[in-house]
Every structure is written in structure tokens, then in C-alpha cells.
Amino acid sequence: MSSYVERISVQYKNFSEGADPLIDSWTLMQTPTPILSITGLYLLFVLWIGPRWMERRKPFELKHTLIAYNALQVVVSTWFCVQPFFTGIFSKYLSATCEGPMTGVSKDLQLTVWNGAWMYLMLKIVELLDTVFFVLRKKQNQVSFLHVYHHTIMVLFTWFYLKYIPGMHAAFIGVLNSFVHIIMYTYYLIAALGPRYQKYLWWKKYMTTLQLLQFGIMLCYFVLINSMQCHVPRALTYFFVSNITIFLFLFINFYRKAYQNRPKALKKE
């Protein structure tokens, strides 16, 4: 029994050692325990505790909270999109991507990428509040498998990426995702302002189309860098391609249900 426990302990220790000691020293990065606890508590709350707790309560309005939250998301997502232009990442991006995780990249640029990935992880954790707000407002119909899976997997993947393979391969994905989030959270911000602004939300269908286009671009991106024989870790490629395919399937299914299979009377509402 003791030898078995020792083997598990050694395996866990090796699992806890990431790509660089500096990253391991950052908040939430030393072991998987904190990030798994956060995602576990998130799933427990939005799928069980939250709905049961709200069952006999009136929904929270949260108007001002949602306005501030969505406005902040737009600002932060914009920052992630423009930051590469001021750090020199784009000028060295393609060559660094094809030479290896961080081959030929200065220490300053390497730290910039790592810091950006860590802040991106913090943003993905904050975005779990999207679902918490749905639960508190008793919008449980919006807590779909697509929504919960997307938020959960983004947190877990960003952590594992930063912990074990913190190269420049996924920087483009983060910037592209942040651009889409500018559009998405702008939509949510306008929606949070109240009924008088609903007439400005006619473009929801096109927002979903943009999200589908995003996943298509991501797939093409990985096909491109693999066709150029770039040294992209297989684990990263397999994870991205498999999850992008899942996202595409789920979003196409959502698109069909929301915009193609609805009665005409409902589409006009």
C-alpha cells in the first residue's frame, strides 16, 4: 500500500513540474489542484447547487452588474487584440512558431507571451461568471451543454498550455478569440441596457456566424502550420483540432435550432 502511494506521489510531482520554474511559481500554476477545484466548483454550482438554491427564489436583476461586467470584458478583449502590435509579437510570430515553442525568441518576448497567456487564463476564469449570472437570473435554459463545455474546456486547456507547452503556437488563437469576444460582449452589453435597446440587437445571427467562421479559421491555421512542417507539439495539435471540431458541430447544431428550424412567427420576434 505504501509503495502504491509513493508511486502516485511521484507521478503527481512529475505532473506538477511544468515547462519552466518561473511559470510554476505563478498563482494557480504550481499544481493542477487549484484549477481543477475552480472548474469543479463551477460545474457543481451551475449544474446543481445554483439551480436548487434559486428554485424558490426570485431571479436577481443584476442590470448594473451586467453592464459593468460586459463593458469590462469588451475593454479587456480589446487590450488582448491590440497588445501584439506593441510588443513585437507579430513581427516574429511565424518564424518562432515554425522553429519551435520558443526557439529564437528573446527572453523579453518570451516573458511577454507567458504573461499574456497567464492573464488570458485569468480572463477565462472570470468568464465563468457568464454562467453564474445565468443561474442567478434563472435563465437556466441558456446553461446549455455547448455553453458549459466551452467555458470549462477553455479554462483547463489554457492552464495546461501555459504549464507544459507555453510557446507561441496558440497566441494567434487567443487574439482571434479575443476579437470575437469584443463583438460578443458588445452584444451582451447592449442587451443589458434594457428593452429600449433591443432594436439594436438584430445582428445576433451574424454574431453566431462569426463564431463559426472563427473555428473555421482556427482549423485552417493548424492545417497551415502543419503543412509548413512547423514543430508544433502533437498534443497541442490533437487537442485543438478535436475540440475545434466539437465546437463546430455544437455551434452548427445551435445555429440550425436557433435560426433555421424556428417557426417564422418566432423569427420575427
Side-chain angles (χ1 to χ4, degrees), residues 97-126:
T97 298
C98 284
E99 290 175 5
M102 277 297 180
T103 305
V105 178
S106 68
K107 187 66 176 180
D108 289 341
L109 184 57
Q110 175 178 295
L111 288 174
T112 298
V113 173
W114 289 358
N115 280 310
W118 184 84
M119 288 185 282
Y120 188 77
L121 171 62
M122 297 301 108
L123 180 62
K124 297 299 110 178
I125 293 173
V126 171

Short mmCIF file of all heavy atoms in Angstrom, two decimals, residues 97-126:
data_model
loop_
_atom_site.label_atom_id
_atom_site.label_comp_id
_atom_site.label_asym_id
_atom_site.label_seq_id
_atom_site.Cartn_x
_atom_site.Cartn_y
_atom_site.Cartn_z
N THR A 97 7.04 30.38 -34.43
CA THR A 97 6.10 29.28 -34.41
C THR A 97 6.66 28.06 -35.13
O THR A 97 6.51 26.93 -34.70
CB THR A 97 4.77 29.69 -35.08
OG1 THR A 97 4.19 30.76 -34.33
CG2 THR A 97 3.78 28.53 -35.09
N CYS A 98 7.36 28.29 -36.23
CA CYS A 98 7.86 27.18 -37.03
C CYS A 98 9.22 26.66 -36.58
O CYS A 98 9.62 25.58 -36.98
CB CYS A 98 7.93 27.60 -38.50
SG CYS A 98 6.30 27.64 -39.29
N GLU A 99 9.91 27.41 -35.76
CA GLU A 99 11.20 26.95 -35.29
C GLU A 99 11.10 26.13 -34.03
O GLU A 99 11.99 25.39 -33.67
CB GLU A 99 12.13 28.15 -35.05
CG GLU A 99 12.57 28.81 -36.34
CD GLU A 99 13.39 30.06 -36.07
OE1 GLU A 99 13.68 30.32 -34.88
OE2 GLU A 99 13.74 30.76 -37.03
N GLY A 100 10.00 26.26 -33.31
CA GLY A 100 9.83 25.54 -32.06
C GLY A 100 9.08 26.39 -31.07
O GLY A 100 8.76 27.53 -31.34
N PRO A 101 8.76 25.85 -29.89
CA PRO A 101 7.97 26.56 -28.91
C PRO A 101 8.48 27.95 -28.60
O PRO A 101 7.73 28.90 -28.57
CB PRO A 101 8.05 25.66 -27.67
CG PRO A 101 8.26 24.29 -28.23
CD PRO A 101 9.13 24.51 -29.42
N MET A 102 9.79 28.11 -28.34
CA MET A 102 10.33 29.43 -28.06
C MET A 102 11.74 29.59 -28.65
O MET A 102 12.56 30.33 -28.13
CB MET A 102 10.36 29.69 -26.55
CG MET A 102 9.03 30.16 -25.99
SD MET A 102 8.55 31.76 -26.69
CE MET A 102 6.99 32.04 -25.86
N THR A 103 12.02 28.87 -29.73
CA THR A 103 13.33 28.93 -30.35
C THR A 103 13.53 30.29 -31.02
O THR A 103 12.68 30.75 -31.76
CB THR A 103 13.48 27.81 -31.40
OG1 THR A 103 13.21 26.56 -30.78
CG2 THR A 103 14.88 27.81 -31.99
N GLY A 104 14.67 30.90 -30.79
CA GLY A 104 14.99 32.15 -31.46
C GLY A 104 14.22 33.35 -30.95
O GLY A 104 14.22 34.39 -31.59
N VAL A 105 13.58 33.22 -29.82
CA VAL A 105 12.79 34.31 -29.26
C VAL A 105 13.52 34.89 -28.07
O VAL A 105 14.06 34.16 -27.24
CB VAL A 105 11.40 33.80 -28.81
CG1 VAL A 105 10.59 34.93 -28.19
CG2 VAL A 105 10.66 33.22 -30.01
N SER A 106 13.57 36.22 -28.01
CA SER A 106 14.26 36.86 -26.90
C SER A 106 13.56 36.55 -25.59
O SER A 106 12.37 36.24 -25.56
CB SER A 106 14.31 38.37 -27.13
OG SER A 106 13.01 38.93 -27.03
N LYS A 107 14.32 36.67 -24.51
CA LYS A 107 13.76 36.40 -23.18
C LYS A 107 12.62 37.36 -22.86
O LYS A 107 11.61 36.96 -22.29
CB LYS A 107 14.87 36.54 -22.12
CG LYS A 107 14.44 36.12 -20.72
CD LYS A 107 14.14 34.64 -20.65
CE LYS A 107 13.80 34.20 -19.24
NZ LYS A 107 13.50 32.76 -19.15
N ASP A 108 12.77 38.62 -23.27
CA ASP A 108 11.71 39.60 -23.01
C ASP A 108 10.43 39.23 -23.74
O ASP A 108 9.33 39.31 -23.17
CB ASP A 108 12.17 41.00 -23.44
CG ASP A 108 13.24 41.58 -22.53
OD1 ASP A 108 13.35 41.08 -21.38
OD2 ASP A 108 13.94 42.50 -22.95
N LEU A 109 10.55 38.83 -25.00
CA LEU A 109 9.37 38.44 -25.77
C LEU A 109 8.76 37.16 -25.21
O LEU A 109 7.54 37.01 -25.15
CB LEU A 109 9.72 38.25 -27.24
CG LEU A 109 8.55 37.94 -28.18
CD1 LEU A 109 7.49 39.03 -28.11
CD2 LEU A 109 9.05 37.78 -29.62
N GLN A 110 9.63 36.25 -24.79
CA GLN A 110 9.15 35.01 -24.18
C GLN A 110 8.33 35.30 -22.94
O GLN A 110 7.23 34.76 -22.77
CB GLN A 110 10.36 34.15 -23.82
CG GLN A 110 10.03 32.87 -23.06
CD GLN A 110 11.26 32.05 -22.78
OE1 GLN A 110 11.90 31.55 -23.70
NE2 GLN A 110 11.62 31.91 -21.52
N LEU A 111 8.83 36.19 -22.09
CA LEU A 111 8.09 36.55 -20.87
C LEU A 111 6.80 37.28 -21.21
O LEU A 111 5.79 37.12 -20.51
CB LEU A 111 8.98 37.43 -19.98
CG LEU A 111 10.13 36.72 -19.28
CD1 LEU A 111 11.01 37.73 -18.53
CD2 LEU A 111 9.62 35.65 -18.32
N THR A 112 6.81 38.06 -22.28
CA THR A 112 5.59 38.76 -22.70
C THR A 112 4.51 37.77 -23.09
O THR A 112 3.34 37.91 -22.72
CB THR A 112 5.90 39.69 -23.90
OG1 THR A 112 6.84 40.68 -23.50
CG2 THR A 112 4.63 40.38 -24.38
N VAL A 113 4.92 36.73 -23.85
CA VAL A 113 3.96 35.69 -24.27
C VAL A 113 3.44 34.93 -23.05
O VAL A 113 2.24 34.68 -22.92
CB VAL A 113 4.62 34.73 -25.28
CG1 VAL A 113 3.68 33.57 -25.58
CG2 VAL A 113 4.97 35.47 -26.55
N TRP A 114 4.35 34.57 -22.15
CA TRP A 114 3.94 33.84 -20.95
C TRP A 114 3.00 34.66 -20.08
O TRP A 114 1.98 34.16 -19.62
CB TRP A 114 5.17 33.44 -20.15
CG TRP A 114 5.98 32.36 -20.79
CD1 TRP A 114 5.70 31.71 -21.97
CD2 TRP A 114 7.22 31.82 -20.32
NE1 TRP A 114 6.68 30.80 -22.25
CE2 TRP A 114 7.63 30.84 -21.26
CE3 TRP A 114 8.01 32.07 -19.20
CZ2 TRP A 114 8.79 30.11 -21.11
CZ3 TRP A 114 9.19 31.33 -19.04
CH2 TRP A 114 9.57 30.36 -19.98
N ASN A 115 3.35 35.93 -19.86
CA ASN A 115 2.49 36.80 -19.06
C ASN A 115 1.12 36.98 -19.71
O ASN A 115 0.09 37.00 -19.03
CB ASN A 115 3.15 38.16 -18.86
CG ASN A 115 4.20 38.14 -17.75
OD1 ASN A 115 3.96 37.67 -16.65
ND2 ASN A 115 5.39 38.65 -18.05
N GLY A 116 1.14 37.11 -21.04
CA GLY A 116 -0.13 37.25 -21.76
C GLY A 116 -0.98 36.01 -21.61
O GLY A 116 -2.21 36.10 -21.42
N ALA A 117 -0.35 34.83 -21.68
CA ALA A 117 -1.09 33.58 -21.52
C ALA A 117 -1.66 33.44 -20.11
O ALA A 117 -2.79 32.96 -19.94
CB ALA A 117 -0.18 32.39 -21.84
N TRP A 118 -0.89 33.88 -19.10
CA TRP A 118 -1.38 33.81 -17.72
C TRP A 118 -2.57 34.76 -17.52
O TRP A 118 -3.57 34.39 -16.89
CB TRP A 118 -0.27 34.16 -16.73
CG TRP A 118 -0.69 34.02 -15.29
CD1 TRP A 118 -0.69 32.88 -14.54
CD2 TRP A 118 -1.18 35.06 -14.44
NE1 TRP A 118 -1.17 33.14 -13.28
CE2 TRP A 118 -1.47 34.47 -13.19
CE3 TRP A 118 -1.40 36.43 -14.63
CZ2 TRP A 118 -1.97 35.22 -12.12
CZ3 TRP A 118 -1.90 37.18 -13.57
CH2 TRP A 118 -2.17 36.57 -12.33
N MET A 119 -2.48 35.97 -18.07
CA MET A 119 -3.60 36.91 -17.96
C MET A 119 -4.82 36.41 -18.74
O MET A 119 -5.96 36.60 -18.32
CB MET A 119 -3.17 38.29 -18.46
CG MET A 119 -2.23 39.00 -17.50
SD MET A 119 -1.83 40.70 -18.00
CE MET A 119 -0.63 40.38 -19.29
N TYR A 120 -4.55 35.73 -19.85
CA TYR A 120 -5.64 35.13 -20.62
C TYR A 120 -6.32 34.04 -19.80
O TYR A 120 -7.55 33.90 -19.83
CB TYR A 120 -5.07 34.56 -21.92
CG TYR A 120 -6.11 34.08 -22.90
CD1 TYR A 120 -6.82 34.99 -23.68
CD2 TYR A 120 -6.36 32.72 -23.08
CE1 TYR A 120 -7.76 34.56 -24.60
CE2 TYR A 120 -7.29 32.28 -23.99
CZ TYR A 120 -7.99 33.20 -24.75
OH TYR A 120 -8.93 32.77 -25.65
N LEU A 121 -5.53 33.28 -19.05
CA LEU A 121 -6.10 32.26 -18.15
C LEU A 121 -6.99 32.91 -17.10
O LEU A 121 -8.09 32.43 -16.83
CB LEU A 121 -4.98 31.48 -17.47
CG LEU A 121 -5.40 30.52 -16.34
CD1 LEU A 121 -6.32 29.43 -16.86
CD2 LEU A 121 -4.16 29.92 -15.66
N MET A 122 -6.52 34.02 -16.50
CA MET A 122 -7.34 34.72 -15.51
C MET A 122 -8.65 35.20 -16.13
O MET A 122 -9.71 35.14 -15.50
CB MET A 122 -6.57 35.92 -14.95
CG MET A 122 -5.29 35.56 -14.19
SD MET A 122 -5.59 34.47 -12.76
CE MET A 122 -4.90 32.93 -13.39
N LEU A 123 -8.59 35.66 -17.38
CA LEU A 123 -9.79 36.11 -18.08
C LEU A 123 -10.76 34.96 -18.29
O LEU A 123 -11.98 35.12 -18.12
CB LEU A 123 -9.40 36.74 -19.42
CG LEU A 123 -10.57 37.27 -20.27
CD1 LEU A 123 -11.30 38.39 -19.53
CD2 LEU A 123 -10.06 37.76 -21.63
N LYS A 124 -10.23 33.79 -18.67
CA LYS A 124 -11.10 32.63 -18.89
C LYS A 124 -11.79 32.21 -17.58
O LYS A 124 -12.95 31.77 -17.60
CB LYS A 124 -10.31 31.44 -19.44
CG LYS A 124 -9.68 31.67 -20.80
CD LYS A 124 -10.71 31.95 -21.86
CE LYS A 124 -10.66 33.38 -22.34
NZ LYS A 124 -11.62 33.69 -23.41
N ILE A 125 -11.08 32.35 -16.46
CA ILE A 125 -11.68 32.04 -15.16
C ILE A 125 -12.79 33.03 -14.84
O ILE A 125 -13.88 32.65 -14.40
CB ILE A 125 -10.61 32.04 -14.05
CG1 ILE A 125 -9.63 30.88 -14.27
CG2 ILE A 125 -11.26 31.92 -12.67
CD1 ILE A 125 -8.45 30.89 -13.33
N VAL A 126 -12.53 34.32 -15.08
CA VAL A 126 -13.55 35.35 -14.84
C VAL A 126 -14.79 35.10 -15.71
O VAL A 126 -15.93 35.31 -15.27
CB VAL A 126 -12.98 36.76 -15.11
CG1 VAL A 126 -14.08 37.82 -15.09
CG2 VAL A 126 -11.90 37.10 -14.08
#
